[in-house]
Amino acid sequence: MSATNLLHIQHLSKIFHSAKGDVKALHNIQLDIREGEFVTVIGPSGCGKSTLLKIIAGLDVDYNGTVSLGGRTVEGPGIDKGFIFQEPRLFPWLTVERNIAADLSLRKPEVRKKVDELIELVRLKGFEKSYPRELSGGMAQRVAIARALLRNPKVLLLDEPFGALDAFTRAHMQEVLLDIWERNRTTMIFVTHDIDEAVFLANRIIVLKPRPGAIQNVIRVDLTFPRKKSSTAFQQLRYKVLGEFDKIEELELVGGAGI
């Protein structure tokens, strides 16, 4: 593994067992992600995007192959891996600052300082004493991101975190997340169904194909930040990703015809 690679995945396969039979969710995933990289993962429903993310997070350890983070095998969840779900999952009885601190005491100067810095980073200054019920969906998700960053994880894993937001809030949150990434340079792996979102955020796009989930292609995004979705270069990359989906659809039609 190169010294610049943070995450190393080799020959990763995952099978779900049930009374109805076995389902091969992932097959022979091989992937390296560099420190400080922003990677988006996209593909049709059922291609194993969320399963891959949970394995990297250590939330699922029943698989074949190897997954290592910072040179150490991933054997379970830990503070070196932050995970953001589609829903913020905040504690409704705690304020913004206490949700971010979680089980750490705000009375400790180092915790207080870090929480204040994160509140500034996620643009929630002035809402420290607010409760989740008083926040918009985007604001609540920013609290969840700040909480995940508190312990300086090596990687931040985001499973369609903006999927439930309206288009305007979603676009705003994409800008906020990029601002956080550019300031912190935390390695991020972001699962999405949205092609524009994948191109807008990423250094690289991992396209997965389904049944079983496997890497269809890895597309490098060399656009500079800030990016404009209306630009010619952006649209060319968007069509390149769309082309991968067309290939997947053709493969599925051929496979279906042969059954």
Side-chain angles (χ1 to χ4, degrees):
M1 184 176 70
S2 166
T4 59
N5 284 335
L6 176 69
L7 179 70
H8 182 58
I9 299 173
Q10 190 171 25
H11 302 302
L12 171 63
S13 295
K14 167 70 182 180
I15 298 175
F16 286 108
H17 304 283
S18 73
K20 295 181 179 180
D22 294 346
V23 176
K24 198 165 190 177
L26 295 171
H27 175 68
N28 198 31
I29 302 292
Q30 301 206 63
L31 181 65
D32 286 326
I33 294 178
R34 294 182 297 277
E35 188 173 0
E37 195 173 13
F38 198 132
V39 172
T40 52
V41 181
I42 193 167
S45 295
C47 69
K49 299 185 296 294
S50 293
T51 300
L52 175 61
L53 210 64
K54 288 174 182 175
I55 288 173
I56 295 170
L59 299 173
D60 185 342
V61 294
D62 182 19
Y63 60 85
N64 293 318
T66 59
V67 179
S68 61
L69 182 68
R72 294 185 177 184
T73 301
V74 174
E75 298 178 335
I79 61 173
D80 57 342
K81 301 174 289 291
F83 199 100
I84 307 294
F85 297 89
Q86 185 169 337
E87 311 82 21
R89 301 193 179 186
L90 303 181
F91 299 111
W93 59 88
L94 297 181
T95 61
V96 164
E97 61 184 8
R98 291 184 64 201
N99 260 291
I100 294 172
D103 59 338
L104 300 180
S105 174
L106 284 168
R107 294 179 180 177
K108 294 182 178 179
E110 65 275 15
V111 176
R112 174 83 266 174
K113 183 175 183 292
K114 183 66 175 177
V115 168
D116 288 345
E117 289 173 352
L118 286 168
I119 286 172
E120 188 81 36
L121 183 66
V122 299
R123 307 180 189 177
L124 285 174
K125 192 71 176 172
F127 292 90
E128 297 92 332
K129 307 297 183 184
S130 299
Y131 288 89
R133 64 179 180 275
E134 300 171 316
L135 305 176
S136 68
M139 292 168 74
Q141 200 61 292
R142 278 183 265 163
V143 176
I145 292 170
R147 181 173 60 192
L149 291 172
L150 181 65
R151 290 174 170 83
N152 297 312
K154 291 179 180 176
V155 62
L156 186 62
L157 307 161
L158 304 103
D159 192 5
E160 297 193 68
F162 308 149
L165 304 177
D166 63 82
F168 180 82
T169 305
R170 186 171 189 153
H172 174 66
M173 286 300 298
Q174 290 166 5
E175 296 277 4
V176 170
L177 187 63
L178 275 178
D179 184 46
I180 293 168
W181 174 72
E182 288 181 321
R183 291 194 196 185
N184 262 28
R185 288 294 168 176
T186 301
T187 306
M188 296 193 185
I189 305 174
F190 187 108
V191 164
T192 181
H193 275 97
D194 190 300
I195 292 174
D196 283 3
E197 188 167 66
V199 176
F200 187 74
L201 294 172
N203 301 131
R204 283 192 300 156
I205 301 169
I206 313 300
V207 183
L208 294 186
K209 58 185 178 181
R211 290 182 286 278
I215 294 178
Q216 166 77 12
N217 201 359
V218 179
I219 299 173
R220 183 157 193 84
V221 183
D222 289 322
L223 303 178
T224 57
F225 293 103
R227 295 171 178 173
K228 290 187 177 180
K229 295 178 182 178
S230 59
S231 73
T232 300
F234 187 98
Q235 290 301 316
Q236 286 174 341
L237 267 166
R238 182 178 185 276
Y239 284 123
K240 186 174 183 177
V241 178
L242 275 170
E244 295 299 326
F245 277 77
D246 288 341
K247 291 177 189 176
I248 291 169
E249 190 173 344
E250 288 170 10
L251 285 170
E252 291 201 305
L253 287 173
V254 170
I259 293 173

